[in-house]
Amino acid sequence: MRIGILNSGGDCPGLNAVIHGVVGAADQLGWEVIGFRDGFEGLLPPGDYSILKPQDTIGILKLGGTILGTTNKGHFAAKLGLGEVAEVPPEIVAKAKRTMDRLGIRALIIVGGDGSLTTGLQLFREGWPIVGVPKTIDNDLSATAMTFGFNSAVETVVDGLDRLQTTADSHKRVMVLEVMGRHSGWIALWGGIAGGANVILLPEIPFSLEKVAAFIKHRDAQGHHSTLVVVAEGASMPDGDLVTRDANTGGEIRLGGIGETVANQLQLLTAKETRACTLGHLQRGGAPTSLDRILAMRFGVMAVKLAAEGAFGRMVSYQAYHVDSVPIEEAVHQLRLVEPDSELVLAAKAVGICLGD
Ligand code: F6P
C-alpha cells in the first residue's frame, strides 16, 4: 500500500511533526509514503516527489517549516479572498490524477488550511481518497478546537512583547505590535494576554482610537508611562477599512500595515512617543513548541488511521483533549472567530485590558 502526503498553503510550525507522525504510523503498517513537493504542484506530471522512509524523518519533529515545501499559489488555489472560492479546473485535476494513478497512491493526506482543504473537498467529491489535516497558525477553523502552529505563533508574540516591554518602559513610550491571524484575533488575544499587553485590538471587536488614547492618558496619569498595544493585522480601522499591503497578488489579500497606522494616530491623540513593530513571518518560522510538536505528530498518526479505515473525505480534528475526525465538508468555510462576549474576552477585560470598545 502506498499513500501520499502534501503540505499546502502557508507554512506553519509543526508541519514536519505531522510528516514524522504519518511516516512512523505508515511504516508500522508496512506502507510506503510518497511526499509530494510544493503542495499540489508536486502532483502535476511528471510529479515532484520522494519516498519518505522513517530514516528520512529522523529529527524533523523539531524542525520548523516543511521538508516538502509548500505554496499558497499555483494551479490548485481554491480560495481567492474572504468568502470567495474557485474550482480547480478539470484539466488540472485530470493531470494530477494521472500522477496519483501512475504511482498507485491509495490515500492522499492533505495538510492545509481552509483553502487547501477546500481543494481537498473538491477532489474527494471527484472520487479521490482524501484525508485532511488542519493547519494554520491563525487557529481559525471551527471544526477543530486547536490547530498546530498556533501555540508556536503565540509564543513568538509573547517573546516579542517581553522584549518590547523593557524598551517601552525605558523610554516611557507606547509600543504597538502588529500580529498575524488574518481575519481572526486569536493570536492577538492569546499572545496579548500572555505577553502582558495593556491594549488588544481585534478584528471581531470594533474599536475607537479615542477610547484607546483616553486609556493610555489615564495610565500615564496613574504613573504607568509605557503602554503595550497589540493589534491584529485583520482588525478594521474605525472607518471600517482593512489595512492591506497589496490587493493584487492573485490570491488572498495581503493584510498588513495597521500597526503603523494605529501608532501614528495614537501619537497624535496622546502626544506620547509611539512606535510600531510588525512581527510578520517570525510568527511562522522557527521550531514548533512542545505542544505543537505533539499535537501535529498525533494529527499525522490519526491521518494514517483514517486512511487505514478507508474514512476518506474526513479531516483530523482536536476536540476536548482527543484527536478525532469530522467530515471535511463540515470543516471548510466555517471560520472560528473570537466571540466578543466569550469568557476569554471578559477575562481580559476583568484584568484591565482595554479592547478599545
Ligand atoms: O494564514 C497564515 C498567515 O500567516 C496569516 O496569518 C497571514 O495573513 C498570511 O498567512 C501571510 O501569508 P503570506 O506568507 O503569503 O504573506
Side-chain angles (χ1 to χ4, degrees):
M1 169 99 162
R2 256 186 173 179
I3 62 172
I5 179 171
L6 59 84
N7 306 140
S8 177
D11 73 335
C12 175
L15 282 171
N16 284 322
V18 177
I19 297 169
H20 172 79
V22 166
V23 172
D27 187 62
Q28 298 274 324
L29 298 173
W31 294 359
E32 194 169 64
V33 180
I34 303 282
F36 291 98
R37 292 207 186 83
D38 301 334
F40 292 97
E41 300 296 301
L43 285 166
L44 291 176
D48 190 2
Y49 58 87
S50 55
I51 296 172
L52 296 173
K53 297 192 183 306
Q55 59 265 32
D56 301 321
T57 66
I58 293 170
I60 70 167
L61 177 91
K62 334 177 156 193
L63 278 187
T66 161
I67 59 167
L68 292 175
T70 187
T71 177
N72 50 11
K73 308 245 170 346
H75 298 85
F76 294 80
K79 267 181 74 178
L80 301 173
L82 194 56
E84 297 170 65
V85 176
E87 291 261 299
V88 181
E91 64 276 13
I92 298 292
V93 175
K95 279 185 183 173
K97 186 72 174 31
R98 284 210 291 277
T99 306
M100 289 277 288
D101 292 343
R102 183 174 61 81
L103 293 172
I105 303 289
R106 306 279 289 278
L108 180 63
I109 297 170
I110 296 170
V111 191
D114 197 52
S116 313
L117 293 170
T118 300
T119 300
L121 180 60
Q122 180 191 339
L123 298 177
F124 169 68
R125 285 180 173 151
E126 295 183 27
W128 291 44
I130 299 293
V131 172
V133 175
K135 165 243 58 155
T136 169
I137 63 164
D138 304 336
N139 202 31
D140 60 354
L141 296 178
S142 69
T144 182
M146 199 183 293
T147 50
F148 64 85
F150 170 64
N151 183 255
S152 305
V154 166
E155 285 302 309
T156 303
V157 173
V158 171
D159 180 57
L161 285 171
D162 288 352
R163 290 168 191 277
L164 290 177
Q165 182 85 65
T166 59
T167 175
D169 289 347
S170 305
H171 288 268
K172 300 187 174 65
R173 281 175 172 165
V174 177
M175 302 295 303
V176 179
L177 181 65
E178 177 184 314
V179 304
M180 283 185 168
R182 223 183 265 290
H183 303 291
S184 72
W186 295 108
I187 295 177
L189 186 59
W190 279 60
I193 295 173
N198 311 107
V199 179
I200 303 176
L201 304 177
L202 305 175
E204 296 89 344
I205 300 181
F207 58 86
S208 143
L209 286 176
E210 283 74 20
K211 284 187 182 163
V212 176
F215 177 82
I216 293 170
K217 284 187 192 166
H218 180 69
R219 282 176 55 76
D220 228 27
Q222 305 275 305
H224 303 299
H225 300 301
S226 64
T227 296
L228 293 183
V229 179
V230 170
V231 58
E233 62 177 1
S236 301
M237 289 303 287
D239 61 8
D241 283 349
L242 290 171
V243 183
T244 60
R245 293 206 185 281
D246 177 8
N248 194 21
T249 54
E252 294 193 68
I253 48 168
R254 268 186 74 205
L255 298 165
I258 193 169
E260 197 75 43
T261 308
V262 164
N264 289 340
Q265 295 201 16
L266 285 180
Q267 178 155 303
L268 285 175
L269 290 167
T270 62
K272 279 188 71 71
E273 254 197 321
T274 305
R275 296 286 188 269
C277 175
T278 302
L279 268 182
H281 290 79
L282 291 173
Q283 293 155 101
R284 289 233 306 255
T289 58
S290 54
L291 191 151
D292 281 338
R293 292 178 196 190
I294 292 170
L295 186 64
M297 180 275 287
R298 290 168 74 190
F299 277 14
V301 170
M302 176 55 76
V304 171
K305 183 167 180 278
L306 292 173
E309 291 166 355
F312 300 122
R314 295 190 73 81
M315 183 195 84
V316 176
S317 158
Y318 183 65
Q319 301 291 345
Y321 298 101
H322 285 281
V323 175
D324 211 315
S325 70
V326 293
I328 296 178
E329 63 190 346
E330 281 177 18
V332 295
H333 315 319
Q334 304 291 333
L335 282 192
R336 192 164 61 88
L337 300 176
V338 174
E339 286 175 22
D341 293 326
S342 59
E343 175 269 327
L344 184 59
V345 170
L346 297 181
K349 288 183 175 176
V351 296
I353 296 173
C354 168
L355 286 106
D357 57 340

